[in-house]
Amino acid sequence: MCLGIPGEVIEFLADQPDLARVDVSGVRRVINVGLLSDDPPKPGEWVLIHVGFALSKIDEDEAAAAMAFLEGIGQAYEDEIAALQESMIE
Amino acid sequence: MRFVDEFRDADKAHALAAKIADLCEPGRQYKLMEVCGGHTHTIYKHGLEDYLPEQITLVHGPGCPVCVIPMGRVDDAMALAAEPDVIMTSFGDMMRVPGSNGSFFDAKARGTDIRMVYSPLDSLKIARQNPDKRVVFMAIGFETTAPSTAMTVLRAAKEGLQNFSIFCNHVTIIPAIKAILDSPDLRLDGFIGPGHVSTVIGCRPYEFIARDYGKPVVVAGFEPLDILQSIYLLMLQLSQGKAIIENQYSRVVPWDGNMVALKAIGETMELRPYFEWRGLGFISHSALKVREQYASFDAELLFSVPGVRVADPKACQCGEVLKGVLKPWECKVFGTACTPETPIGTCMVSPEGACAAYYNYGRLTRTRVKEASRS
Amino acid sequence: MTTGHVDQPVTQGAQDADGQDPDAQDADSQDPDGQGAGWVQEALREHDEQLKSEQRNQEQASQEQGDQEVRHAHRGSPQPLPGTVREELVLERIDRARRARPRVKEDRITMSHGAGGKATQTLIEAVFLDAFRNPLLEPLEDAAQLRVNGARIALSTDSYVVKPLFFPGGNIGDLAVNGTVNDLAMAGAVPLYLSAGFILEEGFPVADLTKIVASMQAAAQLAGVQIVTGDTKVVEKGKADGCYINTAGIGMIEPDVNLGVAHARPGDAIMVSGPIGDHGVTIMLARGELDIEADVISDTAPLNALVASLLAQTTGVRALRDATRGGVATILNEIATAAGVGVLVNEDDIPVRAQVRGASELLGIDPMYVACEGRLVAVVDGAVADIALAALRAHPQGAQAAIIGHVRAELPGIVQLKTAFGGTRIVDLLVGDPLPRIC
């Protein structure tokens, strides 16, 4: 029920401004983007899909920031592990 | 899959797990509640508890909209489905929820026209294709799903459809969280906040939790790294004695929510004075019903539903599991009388229910897992 | 109508509230119409008895444990116990409940009974096996292994009710031939002869029937079998959804071949012959109800040549199963249960096409439970795993074969998955019916 999947907007349907075709890993589906009418997504942008509707746009900057945080944690971890290993070698 | 796979990286998970362990005060036990059933599902599906130190216990909350539907409402839905010329449409997870006389699935076997749909729009399509039938959509879900139902009703109104209605069982998350906070049975340290509900309501509604109850909340995404990162942020706050609302799922959740969605809900629905929640009892202003202007789409007005309040089977302890007081395996009938195949209560039948998640995915104690991993 | 005990206050409205006597001897007489209360009461009674005997054992054990345990007071628990001890007890209780004699609790067939998961298994064991019981049926493998005048023969049958009849990658006719050919091949048999029975709906276009039959002949030729006998029935409009087909087949089992999931043992490798889930997803999308498009086609194919090639190159194959209804997850559970072993698989190693994964995510289903129609799961002696894998890969149908896990002694009867994320979880038998009428 909380099921929300990220998908990329491919195109809008010609006669129906509320409907857009999205791509999820090569699978294409028509969904309703009416809930994003304040700031409609453009082809190439990503949205969160839930029960046939786009609930929200995926903010690529925020996604990048989240990954950067995780990379940072990962790097710090690797540094620590490396330091630990060096101290063990002697 | 983009925006999915990168949040499932095992190395980063180990890094986060190490940081989380570092933040644990020696000798102190931590209880964090994940409100959302989707989070419970992810935690068990990916084996996230394997990454947490023994000091942290995850308590499963009531954020499973199927789980909180009382048996009486299921019976009402079954009565609607049994009406002549009705096609009942429902999401898959409702199909096996047991009422007093079996579930939708059982009714289907007896010949009732009940169809599974993936979207309320599918239900609308069925209505258009079957003008001589009356199509009812079983509307369930928190604020995540209510906007979709609302948009569907608006569309039905625009098209002037005469044979479509909804049986509205949408519930709202804040009263449930408040009920948990006010419950004397629980002493929680923090909340892993609902992810997709927050795309609609935003993060402001949770501010009272930090302000009035002093508990931190981190709104979390649904990938395993999202949840681990959220736990890390909660532990960080706790170690600093802070209690604020943070948004870890910022790539999807806007702080102010989705105004279009909220407007659609407001246009078509209003709060019921009170509503019964399985396990939590009657909570005021916690559920939605169809507004008068859209009465022709309200199944409760178009048909007569029994409206009988039915108590859970005595053996069923879904209430306590939903509040996080009991772990699934602490319920007396877990795994024996109550299994996914033969569910007594909703926690076992909904894919987001804590009992289903634990039975289907987690059914091993940590010690047995460790022993097995050594092989 | 209430469920549960009478002393629980219930707001009943128009119905009377004195229906049930919790001490009544016959649980089912309390609930003659629906399946609501009867089995619940019975199950609770069994549960109570188990609980009592456990409490007796636990009382002894607790005295031996001393006073240092942490006591948690939980509402609803019959007795305060240390956390992990209580969890262990419950898990043991679950194991016992699962091993109890299977019984069909419903009084009507539901779609779950056809899904290939738990309900199907229970139906087979409680109704069919119970009535027909004999040693040849009991292994419940894909094909029966018979001995007739010294010759070892495999016999199998399958019915096809797929909807829609025509789909990307094939039609019901292809499934009908390949399905039975594959069941025979899984017994290590060379498939020889098939029968084909048709149930046709009044009004079904003859042109469609001709197409289906042509496909069957082509499939039979590809597989090297002949369709030597058959039957035709016609039913009124509204039944049979166009066309239902039943095929049965016989084949000769090679002298030194002895396959069966019960032969699996710790150390064995488990492999699949290619990406999973293609067929089930293709069918779901072909129904056209979902507005989803994808370039997935059914993987229906005869596997006998692949199997022959594998068996020619190694004698270390313990078991073969084709992953149809219920998917790979069902087979893994069958291995674990039949052989009394544990199974550990790695999510990362299971081949799934990106589109199948994407469609599964959209539909909220797990590819491990989705049917294939041209993939096999092989259990192979660990020592020759590499040889077996190479043999599969050398054949066009096994080009993407992969080792997905292994058999072990720990946690017998349980299939454990190591997630891509590094955690672990269980892969249980399918419950319910997420994908109806896919084969």
Side-chain angles (χ1 to χ4, degrees):
Chain A
M1 273 295 321
C2 283
L3 204 62
I5 309 292
E8 183 182 356
V9 175
I10 305 292
E11 63 193 355
F12 280 82
L13 261 48
D15 46 345
Q16 314 212 42
D18 262 2
L19 299 182
R21 188 167 278 116
V22 297
D23 179 298
V24 179
S25 267
V27 178
R28 274 148 271 116
R29 195 192 162 155
V30 171
I31 62 166
N32 187 310
V33 295
L35 291 171
L36 302 179
S37 57
D38 268 359
D39 181 21
K42 300 186 223 16
E45 289 188 313
W46 284 70
V47 293
L48 185 77
I49 305 162
H50 173 72
V51 302
F53 284 83
L55 265 193
S56 170
K57 271 209 259 191
I58 300 188
D59 184 327
E60 304 221 14
D61 292 334
E62 289 288 347
M67 283 316 298
F69 170 85
L70 292 169
E71 303 267 343
I73 292 255
Q75 191 52 52
Y77 181 65
E78 281 171 30
D79 289 345
E80 275 182 46
I81 294 293
L84 184 67
Q85 284 177 337
E86 276 172 25
S87 69
M88 277 163 60
I89 283 171
E90 59 201 355
Chain B
M1 281 182 60
R2 206 176 153 208
F3 294 119
V4 168
D5 291 342
E6 52 276 45
F7 291 94
R8 294 189 183 181
D9 182 310
D11 292 329
K12 299 196 178 69
H14 287 297
L16 272 173
K19 286 238 167 314
I20 290 171
D22 281 344
L23 288 168
C24 289
E25 252 177 64
R28 183 173 165 186
Q29 295 291 322
Y30 298 87
K31 276 192 176 176
L32 304 174
M33 172 177 274
E34 89 275 357
V35 178
C36 192
H39 284 145
T40 310
H41 187 89
T42 301
I43 287 166
Y44 279 118
K45 187 167 169 201
H46 295 276
L48 275 184
E49 284 186 313
D50 294 348
Y51 280 91
L52 297 178
E54 300 273 332
Q55 291 166 266
I56 299 182
T57 308
L58 294 180
V59 178
H60 312 308
C64 161
V66 169
C67 300
V68 300
I69 297 181
M71 274 179 83
R73 290 295 280 186
V74 179
D75 290 349
D76 289 345
M78 300 272 283
L80 279 172
E83 291 265 356
D85 300 327
V86 162
I87 301 176
M88 173 60 82
T89 55
S90 161
F91 292 142
D93 24 16
M94 261 316 288
M95 293 296 289
R96 295 176 50 252
V97 174
S100 307
N101 271 313
S103 63
F104 275 169
F105 206 58
D106 300 322
K108 197 157 137 45
R110 295 196 287 268
T112 313
D113 196 342
I114 300 181
R115 306 187 197 180
M116 194 173 93
V117 292
Y118 290 94
S119 165
L121 294 174
D122 296 336
S123 185
L124 211 57
K125 196 159 121 182
I126 294 177
R128 279 186 220 114
Q129 289 169 344
N130 293 276
D132 53 334
K133 300 273 188 181
R134 298 178 291 174
V135 175
V136 179
F137 174 64
M138 175 88 187
I140 53 171
F142 285 96
E143 291 95 329
T144 326
T145 320
S148 303
T149 304
M151 293 292 279
T152 306
V153 169
L154 287 171
R155 194 154 185 171
K158 193 154 159 227
E159 290 178 22
L161 273 184
Q162 306 283 327
N163 63 333
F164 175 78
S165 62
I166 68 170
F167 181 43
C168 190
N169 287 285
H170 284 300
V171 282
T172 56
I173 197 79
I174 296 299
I177 297 180
K178 193 154 188 311
I180 298 281
L181 285 164
D182 289 336
S183 164
D185 299 318
L186 289 180
R187 245 173 267 298
L188 298 168
D189 294 294
F191 290 87
I192 299 170
H196 294 139
V197 168
S198 309
T199 61
V200 176
I201 69 176
C203 301
R204 281 187 212 292
Y206 308 116
E207 283 168 355
F208 79 98
I209 301 173
R211 186 190 61 226
D212 301 337
Y213 293 84
K215 310 286 180 190
V217 179
V218 176
V219 170
F222 289 86
E223 294 308 317
L225 280 182
D226 286 322
I227 298 180
L228 273 185
Q229 186 185 358
S230 303
I231 294 175
Y232 166 71
L233 291 171
L234 278 171
M235 295 300 293
L236 196 56
Q237 284 200 44
L238 288 171
S239 72
Q240 296 166 345
K242 265 166 56 177
I244 59 170
I245 313 304
E246 284 187 82
N247 181 5
Q248 183 276 338
Y249 200 18
S250 52
R251 64 187 186 275
V252 162
V253 173
W255 194 267
D256 291 320
N258 183 331
M259 281 313 297
V260 174
L262 290 170
K263 278 205 197 110
I265 299 178
E267 164 79 23
T268 53
M269 302 177 200
E270 61 187 357
L271 283 171
R272 298 177 192 263
Y274 56 84
F275 193 68
E276 191 192 354
W277 290 54
R278 190 160 193 159
L280 297 175
F282 284 91
I283 306 183
S284 71
H285 299 104
S286 61
L288 295 167
K289 72 176 185 3
V290 181
R291 264 192 198 284
E292 222 184 295
Q293 299 94 293
Y294 293 89
S296 56
F297 301 102
D298 187 351
E300 279 176 272
L301 294 179
L302 295 175
F303 304 88
S304 69
V305 288
V308 170
R309 181 176 176 247
V310 177
D312 296 339
K314 187 164 188 208
C316 178
Q317 297 178 282
C318 277
E320 280 128 308
V321 174
L322 280 168
K323 282 193 292 205
V325 172
L326 282 189
K327 282 268 187 193
W329 42 265
E330 288 169 348
C331 167
K332 279 189 296 191
V333 289
F334 175 80
T336 49
C338 186
T339 65
E341 217 192 326
T342 55
I344 293 182
T346 46
C347 297
M348 183 60 91
V349 72
S350 168
E352 287 177 4
C355 296
Y358 178 71
Y359 190 100
N360 286 327
Y361 297 135
R363 213 169 63 237
L364 297 170
T365 58
R366 291 183 205 186
T367 41
R368 283 171 92 189
V369 170
K370 285 206 181 71
E371 282 162 18
S373 315
R374 261 183 251 126
S375 63
Chain C
M1 171 125 215
T2 53
T3 54
H5 292 180
V6 125
D7 52 0
Q8 182 91 327
V10 165
T11 315
Q12 270 296 334
Q15 299 175 8
D16 75 33
D18 67 353
Q20 297 190 344
D21 175 6
D23 296 328
Q25 296 302 333
D26 182 358
D28 288 343
S29 71
Q30 295 171 27
D31 186 14
D33 299 323
Q35 47 271 52
W39 67 262
V40 173
Q41 303 257 345
E42 222 178 299
L44 291 175
R45 235 191 302 278
E46 279 173 26
H47 167 96
D48 279 338
E49 280 165 21
Q50 274 187 32
L51 202 55
K52 284 196 194 100
S53 81
E54 249 168 45
Q55 279 180 347
R56 280 193 293 269
N57 297 342
Q58 224 10 68
E59 261 141 42
Q60 287 179 349
S62 310
Q63 279 168 5
E64 293 155 25
Q65 266 174 23
D67 302 341
Q68 270 94 7
E69 346 167 287
V70 175
R71 299 214 160 234
H72 300 257
H74 293 292
R75 277 175 60 199
S77 296
Q79 187 184 6
L81 282 174
T84 47
V85 176
R86 165 116 192 124
E87 193 174 0
E88 283 283 355
L89 273 183
V90 171
L91 295 174
E92 269 164 57
R93 198 189 300 156
I94 293 178
D95 277 341
R96 250 179 291 137
R98 288 160 74 94
R99 263 180 267 138
R101 185 157 177 247
R103 214 178 33 208
V104 178
K105 295 186 164 119
E106 300 84 358
D107 61 0
R108 282 175 200 269
I109 298 294
T110 69
M111 293 304 286
S112 288
H113 292 116
K118 188 93 180 72
T120 306
Q121 203 189 56
T122 306
L123 186 72
I124 292 175
E125 287 176 21
V127 175
F128 300 119
L129 185 57
D130 199 55
F132 302 149
R133 194 173 298 278
N134 61 68
L136 294 169
L137 179 57
E138 271 168 8
L140 291 177
E141 293 272 345
D142 287 339
Q145 299 178 19
L146 317 168
R147 201 174 276 279
V148 180
N149 289 347
R152 291 176 69 216
I153 297 182
L155 171 65
S156 175
T157 184
D158 254 305
S159 301
Y160 298 87
V161 297
V162 66
K163 194 164 91 155
L165 294 171
F166 296 89
F167 44 83
N171 60 55
I172 188 176
D174 295 289
L175 293 187
V177 169
N178 293 333
T180 294
V181 162
N182 291 346
D183 281 345
L184 294 171
M186 296 304 118
V190 175
L192 294 171
Y193 304 110
L194 259 51
S195 68
F198 293 82
I199 301 178
L200 303 170
E201 180 184 2
E202 181 186 14
F204 185 58
V206 174
D208 284 351
L209 180 61
T210 311
K211 257 191 241 158
I212 289 170
V213 167
S215 297
M216 289 175 77
Q217 177 56 7
Q221 277 186 316
L222 189 60
V225 299
Q226 289 177 280
I227 299 169
V228 299
T229 183
D231 180 64
T232 310
K233 296 282 186 296
V234 177
V235 290
E236 300 85 342
K237 194 154 191 61
K239 323 237 173 192
D241 251 332
C243 172
Y244 295 151
I245 304 179
N246 169 278
T247 49
I250 59 172
M252 294 290 291
I253 307 176
E254 302 292 288
D256 42 359
V257 169
N258 215 335
L259 303 176
V261 284
H263 300 319
R265 55 190 98 134
D268 286 350
I270 301 176
M271 52 193 80
V272 295
S273 61
I276 64 174
D278 289 6
H279 177 78
V281 168
T282 301
I283 297 297
M284 281 303 277
L285 302 188
R287 297 227 174 109
E289 297 160 351
L290 298 171
D291 291 332
I292 294 180
E293 310 138 30
D295 294 327
V296 206
I297 66 170
S298 171
D299 54 0
T300 178
L303 295 172
N304 50 332
L306 179 66
V307 169
S309 159
L310 173 66
L311 294 179
Q313 302 201 33
T314 171
T315 52
V317 180
R318 309 259 200 244
L320 295 172
R321 277 289 174 96
D322 64 339
T324 55
R325 277 177 322 172
V328 168
T330 299
I331 295 176
L332 295 175
N333 274 283
E334 284 170 6
I335 295 171
T337 310
V341 294
V343 169
L344 177 66
V345 291
N346 295 309
E347 194 172 31
D348 264 343
D349 294 335
I350 302 176
V352 183
R353 289 193 212 282
Q355 296 198 353
V356 169
R357 193 188 296 284
S360 302
E361 293 262 353
L362 271 176
L363 297 173
I365 56 184
D366 185 341
M368 288 195 71
Y369 293 98
V370 179
C372 317
E373 286 284 335
R375 300 278 179 251
L376 60 81
V377 173
V379 182
V380 175
D381 183 345
V384 294
D386 290 335
I387 300 178
L389 186 66
L392 288 175
R393 285 196 177 153
H395 193 281
Q397 268 164 12
Q400 291 176 276
I403 297 179
I404 63 172
H406 61 272
V407 176
R408 59 189 184 167
E410 293 79 10
L411 303 175
I414 291 190
V415 177
Q416 211 182 4
L417 177 97
K418 191 140 174 273
T419 66
F421 190 63
T424 57
R425 73 160 203 262
I426 294 195
V427 178
D428 205 352
L429 271 178
L430 179 66
V431 174
D433 185 21
L435 300 177
R437 303 265 305 270
I438 39 165
C439 63

